[in-house]
Every structure is written in structure tokens, then in C-alpha cells.
Amino acid sequence: QLQLQESGSGLVKPSQTLSLTCAVSGGSISSGGYSWSWIRQPPGKGLEWIGYIYHSGSTYYNPSLKSRVTISVDRSKNQFSLKLSSVTAADTAVYYCARYSAVPRYFDIWGQGTMVTVSS
Amino acid sequence: QSVLTQPPSVSGAPGQRVTISCTGSSSNIGAGYDVHWYQQLPGTAPKLLIYGNSNRPSGVPDRFSGSKSGTSASLAITGLQAEDEADYYCQSYDSSLSAPVVFGGGTKLTVL
């Protein structure tokens, strides 16, 4: 059974870059028909899609974050990563990685989430 | 301001039926794109509850059902149980210049 596990820095200083990794186990990140996504949830608020990367390497980002986001994949390690630059307190959130089914476009498997706090 | 609009909260007594609405527009639900629903229990990650408007993944009780009409969709929960108390989110695809993945703002279900 496919599982996702986020890891990375839990505390990031303002203006620095947030870096997270999502390890995929129980299946291959190169499987066709899926893309690999990041979603975040500020404390007490709703879900916000950050972006995703297809198995081909193509990426799509939320326009509101596009200038600061990079999602990449490391097939040799079966994992994908998120980098968010120039962070502010507004980027404080629980960050989830998730598998996105191409059709009909839903998130079928989620990681447990990791809390990232932006503070000096 | 979420692209998909949900009521902030709904409530019901055990055994009752509740519905949660999700209203979109002509660039998402109204354009024919599917609606999916997620359940987020307190302190946990969201879990896929309904996909493709009305389909339940394996293991989801048939007390949960979904429907879609026009620019809106609904999640219905019958035979309400205490364990159903959670946040519920709808999600769809959007073909406008906004983000292709759009969520509703979420609905807090309270079991009285």
C-alpha cells in the first residue's frame, strides 16, 4: 500500500527558504496517471493547493505562489520536494504531500502532514 | 475567499441526516468537472471520502453520498454518528486563470 511521509525543517526564519521532502513508499513515483502534490493548511484555516509535478517532470503551481515555489522529483530516491522562498509568517502552516490522480483529478493518498513555523 | 463556497458549519443529532453544499461557477463545477469530498478528523490529514461526484472509495460507509447538479454539489450523511464530527472539504478542477485545483473553505460538522 502506497504511503507518503513528509520531512524537513519545522522552523524557518522570515525571508529564508522552506524545504520539505515527501518520501514515497510501497510504490513507484514514476507510475503513470499520477502527479505528486503539495497542499498546505494554516492553523485553523482551510486547504490551499501549492502545486504538483507530473511523473514526466512537468510542474504546475498555484499562481498566488508561483514566483516563490519549486517542486522537484528525485526518482532514484523515490521522493519529491518542495522549496518555498522568501517566507513570511503567512506561510506558517501544516504542509501535506499527496498523490493526485490525473482522472478524475482528486487526491487519493495523503501524507500525515508536517507543521512549519516561520518565526525569527 | 475560496473559489468553491461551503457553509462554515452544520450540525445534527445522532441518527439524523445532514447535507453540506459546495457552490462553484461556470469554470469549475458548472463546466462539468467532477467534485470530490474529503473528511478531516481533528488533528489528522484529510482523507478522500467521495470521488467523481458520487463514488465512495473502499472502506467508506454507504452513509456518505455525493451528488452534483449545475454549478453545485452536495455531500449527504445519513444516520449521523459521533465519529462523523469533522471538517469536510469539497474540491474540483478549475479551467480559468486561477489555480487548476480548487478547494472549498471547509465545513465543520458538529454532532450534537
Side-chain angles (χ1 to χ4, degrees), chain B residues 71-92:
Chain B
T71 58
S72 295
S74 290
L75 172 70
I77 309 172
T78 59
L80 207 56
Q81 298 180 5
E83 65 203 51
D84 299 333
E85 187 160 293
D87 294 322
Y88 293 84
Y89 293 90
C90 60
Q91 176 250 317
S92 186

Side-chain angles (χ1 to χ4, degrees), chain A residues 37-50:
Chain A
S37 190
W38 290 96
I39 296 155
R40 70 181 183 179
Q41 184 173 34
K45 296 188 178 180
L47 302 169
E48 179 182 30
W49 174 71
I50 298 171

Side-chain angles (χ1 to χ4, degrees), chain A residues 39 41 45-47 49 52 62-63 96 100 104-108 110-112, chain B residues 33-34 36 38 40 44-46 48 51 89 91 93 97-101 103:
Chain A
I39 296 155
Q41 184 173 34
K45 296 188 178 180
L47 302 169
W49 174 71
Y52 52 60
N62 189 323
Y96 297 100
Y100 187 61
R105 301 187 181 105
Y106 59 82
F107 300 97
D108 60 346
W110 296 65
Q112 66 183 28
Chain B
Y33 296 113
D34 288 332
H36 320 291
Y38 303 87
Q40 186 176 33
T44 69
L48 181 65
Y51 68 94
Y89 293 90
Q91 176 250 317
Y93 180 87
L97 295 179
S98 68
V101 176
F103 286 100

